[in-house]
Amino acid sequence: REVYGKDACHADIARALQNIGVSYENMNEYVTAEVYYTQALTMRRMVYGEASNHKHIANTLKCLGDVKRQLKMHDEAEKLYQDLLHMYRQIYRPDSNHKGIANLLHDMGSNCESNSDHSTALEYKLRALDMYREVYGKDACHADIARALQNIGVSYENMNEYVTAEVYYTQALTMRRMVYGEASNHKHIANTLKCLGDVKRQLKMHDEAEKLY
């Protein structure tokens, strides 16, 4: 601001605002992070154009959406994610299967899940799973696919559809053991064991639940 002027609108200032937001987010100071991300988004739109599909605007939309989700401002997060999804479709082509789009769909599902909109969350998560499989391969074994399977299980469990949840948690556990190692003590495997044990208990499969626990 000393270089460009106190009230200047410049890409370097926007980048600085963005990165200050990152620091606050990493310290879990989401309210302050939101302030800086909002300033960065406003300036980047002024720098690159309100209707621009510039990658820096996309990055700030994602960051701001994520902190809105952390602050339980789910409707505002959804709007930002929808704007970003539209932008990604322009950046990567409307019919493109891209990891960034799949990750965004997954986050949109998590946002809806946190807002107790389990059916919409499930729709987003299933779309994310399909896209991950297009990106990595139909029969691929990948951490992103395992995470998607796990979180689809969460949606079904939250809708009390325990039989279907069990199917997805079982697939997630199998894949996570393949990704991280059968004898691994990885936290993601531990998380899936807990989820699967819980639905086994709901299904009164007590011996199987005990073994998983």
Side-chain angles (χ1 to χ4, degrees):
R1 284 175 169 161
E2 290 294 329
V3 171
Y4 298 115
K6 181 181 176 182
D7 299 318
C9 177
H10 194 280
D12 288 344
I13 298 174
R15 182 184 59 183
L17 291 166
Q18 167 91 6
N19 289 332
I20 292 168
V22 169
S23 293
Y24 278 113
E25 183 180 0
N26 288 337
M27 293 187 290
N28 300 326
E29 296 187 27
Y30 300 117
V31 172
T32 309
E34 180 199 4
V35 171
Y36 280 96
Y37 285 146
T38 299
Q39 292 178 24
L41 180 61
T42 298
M43 191 170 292
R44 282 182 159 172
R45 282 174 164 163
M46 292 172 68
V47 169
Y48 300 112
E50 187 69 30
S52 170
N53 293 316
H54 196 282
K55 63 181 181 180
H56 291 334
I57 295 176
N59 180 255
T60 309
L61 281 169
K62 179 65 168 64
C63 290
L64 185 55
D66 289 348
V67 295
K68 294 278 192 185
R69 178 158 57 98
Q70 290 290 343
L71 292 167
K72 303 188 187 306
M73 302 166 70
H74 300 296
D75 291 342
E76 292 184 39
E78 172 70 13
K79 184 179 185 306
L80 290 162
Y81 286 152
Q82 287 288 353
D83 289 346
L84 181 56
L85 182 61
H86 176 75
M87 190 173 290
Y88 276 166
R89 293 297 189 191
Q90 302 303 311
I91 293 171
Y92 300 121
R93 301 191 318 273
D95 59 343
S96 175
N97 291 309
H98 191 277
K99 179 182 175 181
I101 298 174
N103 287 341
L104 176 59
L105 289 168
H106 182 272
D107 289 343
M108 292 171 80
S110 296
N111 182 58
C112 291
E113 199 76 60
S114 298
N115 201 28
S116 299
D117 185 356
H118 306 306
S119 60
T120 304
L122 180 60
E123 291 176 17
Y124 282 131
K125 292 175 184 181
L126 289 168
R127 287 169 63 189
L129 176 61
D130 287 343
M131 191 166 292
Y132 281 135
R133 283 174 166 161
E134 289 293 330
V135 171
Y136 297 118
K138 181 181 176 183
D139 299 318
C141 177
H142 194 279
D144 287 342
I145 297 175
R147 182 186 59 172
L149 291 166
Q150 166 90 8
N151 286 329
I152 290 168
V154 169
S155 291
Y156 279 115
E157 182 179 3
N158 285 337
M159 293 187 290
N160 299 325
E161 297 187 28
Y162 300 118
V163 172
T164 309
E166 181 199 5
V167 171
Y168 279 95
Y169 285 147
T170 300
Q171 292 178 26
L173 180 60
T174 299
M175 189 169 292
R176 282 182 160 171
R177 281 175 165 163
M178 292 172 68
V179 169
Y180 301 112
E182 188 69 31
S184 172
N185 293 315
H186 197 282
K187 63 181 181 180
H188 291 334
I189 295 176
N191 179 256
T192 310
L193 283 168
K194 177 67 167 61
C195 290
L196 185 55
D198 288 348
V199 295
K200 294 279 192 184
R201 180 158 54 90
Q202 289 289 344
L203 292 168
K204 303 188 186 308
M205 302 166 72
H206 300 295
D207 291 343
E208 293 184 38
E210 174 67 18
K211 183 176 184 302
L212 289 162
Y213 289 149

